[in-house]
Amino acid sequence: MKKIKVCVVVASRANYGRVKFLLKALQEHTEIELQILVGASLLLERFGKAINVMKQDGFEPNKAIYYTVEGETLITQAKSTGMGVIELATAFGELAPDYVVTIADRYETMATAISATYMNIPLIHLQGGEVSGNIDDRVRHAITKLADFHFVATEKSRERVIKMGEKESSVFNLGCPAMDVIANCDKSISNEHMKKYGGVGSEVDWNKPYILMIQHPVTTSYGEGFTQVENTLNALYRIEHIQKVVLWPNADAGGEDVAKGIRTFREHHMSDNFHFYKNFSAEDFIRVLNNATCAVGNSSSFLREGEFLGVPAVVVGDRQNLRECGSNVIFTGYDEEAIFNGLNKQIEHGKYPQGRVFGNGDAGKRIAEIIPSLKPNLLKPLTY
Amino acid sequence: MKKIKVCVVVASRANYGRVKFLLKALQEHTEIELQILVGASLLLERFGKAINVMKQDGFEPNKAIYYTVEGETLITQAKSTGMGVIELATAFGELAPDYVVTIADRYETMATAISATYMNIPLIHLQGGEVSGNIDDRVRHAITKLADFHFVATEKSRERVIKMGEKESSVFNLGCPAMDVIANCDKSISNEHMKKYGGVGSEVDWNKPYILMIQHPVTTSYGEGFTQVENTLNALYRIEHIQKVVLWPNADAGGEDVAKGIRTFREHHMSDNFHFYKNFSAEDFIRVLNNATCAVGNSSSFLREGEFLGVPAVVVGDRQNLRECGSNVIFTGYDEEAIFNGLNKQIEHGKYPQGRVFGNGDAGKRIAEIIPSLKPNLLKPLTY
Amino acid sequence: MKKIKVCVVVASRANYGRVKFLLKALQEHTEIELQILVGASLLLERFGKAINVMKQDGFEPNKAIYYTVEGETLITQAKSTGMGVIELATAFGELAPDYVVTIADRYETMATAISATYMNIPLIHLQGGEVSGNIDDRVRHAITKLADFHFVATEKSRERVIKMGEKESSVFNLGCPAMDVIANCDKSISNEHMKKYGGVGSEVDWNKPYILMIQHPVTTSYGEGFTQVENTLNALYRIEHIQKVVLWPNADAGGEDVAKGIRTFREHHMSDNFHFYKNFSAEDFIRVLNNATCAVGNSSSFLREGEFLGVPAVVVGDRQNLRECGSNVIFTGYDEEAIFNGLNKQIEHGKYPQGRVFGNGDAGKRIAEIIPSLKPNLLKPLTY
Amino acid sequence: MKKIKVCVVVASRANYGRVKFLLKALQEHTEIELQILVGASLLLERFGKAINVMKQDGFEPNKAIYYTVEGETLITQAKSTGMGVIELATAFGELAPDYVVTIADRYETMATAISATYMNIPLIHLQGGEVSGNIDDRVRHAITKLADFHFVATEKSRERVIKMGEKESSVFNLGCPAMDVIANCDKSISNEHMKKYGGVGSEVDWNKPYILMIQHPVTTSYGEGFTQVENTLNALYRIEHIQKVVLWPNADAGGEDVAKGIRTFREHHMSDNFHFYKNFSAEDFIRVLNNATCAVGNSSSFLREGEFLGVPAVVVGDRQNLRECGSNVIFTGYDEEAIFNGLNKQIEHGKYPQGRVFGNGDAGKRIAEIIPSLKPNLLKPLTY
């Protein structure tokens, strides 16, 4: 029997964190031939070169393509998308997959969706239907309209995708495959285990309390990233007796700005209980998140993985303000005082019970099981 | 007062036909500075170089960009999109418009939409919400999800766009701007007027009955274009005493196939009352359509302009089978016999009364009047 | 033993004609693994899709890449080069050849050379050192400066390449591999054999005298192609009692202009002993050239293959006026009268003796034999 | 009188340093209209965003184009070139210059040269004919073969360019325009003046002795950058009582590697009399170089500006080993010991007398004066 060729495009470390267990399930499925295409920031030193982690995990990509146009301005994000479309078209032409899988809502996701659409290859979209209240929304929903099948992460997402005109039978809520990583991993942390990461700043004692900070650029407030991250860092600085673990921002427009804010702060506060990291493996990130006293910033992981794990979080600004979330989150503006107060409240509260908004942690396997039974229809009629 | 810069991207002769009166209205509006960006097949000899017609009409483009990757296969359609995104990003960066206007549902439209989206420029989409039952649908709806404002052409389209989650206040049904051309032009035809077109084949007497044929490639049945066009031509061949006017297909994937079918037929039937044309000006196309005894093929103009004018039409295949239409249309499959019968029925029926499904013929002016009052919101929340 | 991977980039039908026997020799060499990368106009319907001929000859490409930006203006030639560089870089990255082979002097050649250079892959250039007196010269010589090894076609070319500063030991004059095709093929012609080609116009009797015309655009006189080709056609029209076989021009800037000149002429003179062809297989082209009473136009094949075969030729304009040539050629300007006189003179003279300016017809084999012994040096010092 | 449009493409901070005075002279020339096109690393934060310096100096670019594909591997250097060719073609099409000026030998230079060549715009090349003994050589010489006019920096370069077949009358040795900056600027240094640069590490007292280090990646020893830079840093570390000023490497393939070497060293030796800078303005770089006790690394500035100024230099590795140089230079390998000894020898020797290998410091003005009298010939025949 001819296997079904499923090509997953993994284009950032966040992407990989989300689909690791789906990749595993596809790899092990007897009716499926997994094709892996890696590209964009996953290959770049500056973003932690997560391709290396992926290879260590046993995933050998069929193709690795560079298509990030440097600049981190709005214009280069557009150009990276265009470059991605061009090169992915060539790659899809060679790999000739039966399905292309694309993840979430970033420009690499869009490039994948456009390229698959014009190549007439049925498109599977993960994590459609969500609402984050930022500019990613329109990209995410546009991809929904290009996609043939939707594996959404929550019930509300399923409803939204169907309302947008997608056939009910093409939308599956099996939970978020990112939760699989959490459900399946050792979530304990130790200094021994973490010492490999090096990082910049004073040494972290992972057995003692620490706050995890991740703050990405917000594309709608392009140009303000420097100040925004400064406020969060200043608030953190005032939480004296707890260690602070700061992770590097992603490659969106404005990323360089946020990075600069961090670097500037770092020059003066290197030895003030702050520690700066480029990247953790998907598993180690979960350890770090799970054991954090509190998380602060605007990473969607606080509302997803954090919800699943019950980690107290202070979510800053509007990057996540419409996302579905559980009880573990307090929202604040970019104001230093508000962030500082939120931090204190969450530290006091301590760990929350585990949530199930994003499924049970077995999405990857369940998605892989359904794929062979899908029946694509290139015409893809609207339901109204 | 600073003028509002509105950049209209015109990337094919069909595009131009649709927005000519909108361009005029924008050009004349005192609060608006019109920017025109032309590209793709509008610049190409092989597709009639409609840019020349446009310049004669008094529209001097701010920029003209080549971004068609040759091949007319699926892969080159994807690559042209990518190339378009890259170059349009640079162009938008230089022109810095307040709004970008994109038209309908083709790959150039998508390239424009993607590029404007990533550049954070509010996007105005013309002719969203329609349903054509082919692969263009998903592209059109995806553009709807990227666009900030929607000037739709029919009431049903308005309803669909709103159902997809767009705010009611961002959707305007002012009719189809392509109808403006019809409402405003001299629709009579004469040999004197038409002789400039040359064309290949026996001479047409425009005062006598003729059938107009336009058959584009259908992307979902890629590879069958040759046979499909052959059937239509053979059916036409059997309608003996009426002249046949055949127009060249567009640049979609499979276009070369259809063109080949026409060329092959032409070699044998050059002198059998057939005449082949590359292109007419937007106005002259209306003359030709208006005075046709019957139209045959799969051009959407038969259901739109044809409806407005009441021209009997036989629409072949599934390229248009979900589009809104008036009473002037008979649908058939690709079968020669069915096409032949349809033609006979319509010839017998003769002209239909004028329709108003696509508005009153003043859309361009009304759209231009509304633009200065628009209030863009980059976050563009879903309504559910 | 690990085989040496040699990647030949074939990007036009002319390219293929030149390296067919080299490909064969590389394919058969026990120490070499042949990689074939096809692209650009070789894949395009409009230029005869020579990839099909190639496959019939037993060459299965490792990769086929579309990178022609349509327009045939100066700007699209530049863009096609850029697009080629981008996609070839990805392809070379995947194929990881030990050598890249590039042919002659066109934009696809340049794209290949640039891409291989930046990928640090030793570059073998065929047919360097020639002088054609047109804009191709600077591209050809620039490629010489990028290339590591030079397989030139004539003694004068060898001298020029060395003068340009290339090490003598890196320059080999083994003759032109295009001659291999001629030396090894059945050069007879028959109606039976040729009828497969169809073509447009009156039927050719290949047993009777015919004149072969090939006229390409000249990039330095961009915009004059229409008139230039018209003059040649008019001169041919005056040679009454001999058949005329006209081949389609190549894809250089201005090609559409020349094609238009031919199409316009064709409309009026279809039945005047003219016959128009898109393409012949490499072998059949040799048959056609070998048996021509005379050749006219500006194809370099008249000075190369024609010299080898002793075919009388009238070479029009300056496209070839500095190329090395044998005694079989008369040069004229674009003037109709001069072309007409030249044609008469050559028809009267009849066949010339075979020449050896371009080697003995065994270049492909000899090149393949030398490749395993090459010693690349990435620094590639100048000799002065 | 119509002015001659001269378009200078400035694509890196090194580029700008070289042509600042040429830009000024072109700007002031009454017969010339200066067009400035900036792109690539000149626009990037990571490379000091030298565009800002340029604007402060009064140069407002006509166009700014992003075309750096991120990755700093061989493949992305190729892709950046391709992307550059594509976008520059569009830009040249819009600007329609009479001449394009390109500088030196990097991938941006090549992109400019290719694009101008295919657009039939006469190309002026600065700094051709030089020999650096690395992979840049072949690119530089290839550009020579594409260029119409050559403004070389030394007598030996002039001879080489002519030997490569360029017409003597098209080659001008007016000295290196980079020397103009030196000749014309205040070369004194003070803490007051330099404090704006910030930088990372211990504070520099610019009135006291310091060693300047600049070490770029070497493309032929790709992958060894980390170790190479480590050796230089270790040697410097042993020179105890003199301050060390370290500048960031350029964006060539391998740049990330070298940067990593510096960052790693920096983490341990931040407070050991080392100071790290991203970028100086062209003028301030001259101050820093002029007042350095000694320079070490592989920057070509040591052999050029350094020669002009008489600054003692230790040049490490083979990146510059074939360049023309004066008496101010000692060459060493990558060996720590050798570098250490070289440093000691040069420190002991002290300042050298000023050299004139690279002209008198008035090249920019003299080049601008000659441009109006140039007579381009698109055919550009070889001299042999």
Side-chain angles (χ1 to χ4, degrees), chain B residues 39-102:
Chain B
S41 69
L42 196 89
L43 302 174
L44 299 178
E45 188 75 29
R46 214 152 46 101
F47 303 103
K49 229 176 172 169
I51 174 66
N52 294 340
V53 177
M54 215 172 142
K55 286 186 177 173
Q56 279 160 25
D57 289 346
F59 299 113
E60 200 50 52
N62 296 58
K63 286 184 182 285
I65 308 178
Y66 289 87
Y67 54 85
T68 308
V69 178
E70 191 169 350
E72 298 190 340
T73 61
L74 299 171
I75 209 169
T76 53
Q77 204 161 330
K79 288 189 183 186
S80 298
T81 310
M83 191 93 177
V85 172
I86 291 170
E87 298 243 15
L88 291 171
T90 302
F92 291 155
E94 294 188 4
L95 296 174
D98 296 302
Y99 294 96
V100 163
V101 178
T102 194

Side-chain angles (χ1 to χ4, degrees), chain B residues 316-374:
Chain B
V316 172
D318 51 10
R319 192 168 179 265
Q320 306 297 347
N321 71 350
L322 289 176
R323 275 196 197 272
E324 236 163 318
C325 67
S327 54
N328 69 314
V329 171
I330 290 177
F331 286 95
T332 75
Y334 290 113
D335 179 50
E336 179 188 322
E337 206 56 34
I339 299 170
F340 178 69
N341 292 337
L343 282 168
N344 281 324
K345 216 182 282 179
Q346 289 287 44
I347 291 165
E348 200 175 324
H349 179 285
K351 199 96 174 186
Y352 287 80
Q354 296 195 1
R356 285 296 172 261
V357 171
F358 297 94
N360 307 315
D362 57 359
K365 219 179 144 214
R366 294 173 68 194
I367 293 171
E369 270 159 20
I370 283 180
I371 286 175
S373 65
L374 298 177

Side-chain angles (χ1 to χ4, degrees), chain C residues 175-186:
Chain C
C176 174
M179 300 306 128
D180 301 16
V181 178
I182 309 177
N184 286 282
C185 68
D186 178 357

Side-chain angles (χ1 to χ4, degrees), chain A residues 301-314:
Chain A
S301 67
F302 302 165
L303 292 86
R304 306 180 75 101
E305 292 82 353
E307 191 267 353
F308 192 83
L309 293 166
V311 180
V314 176

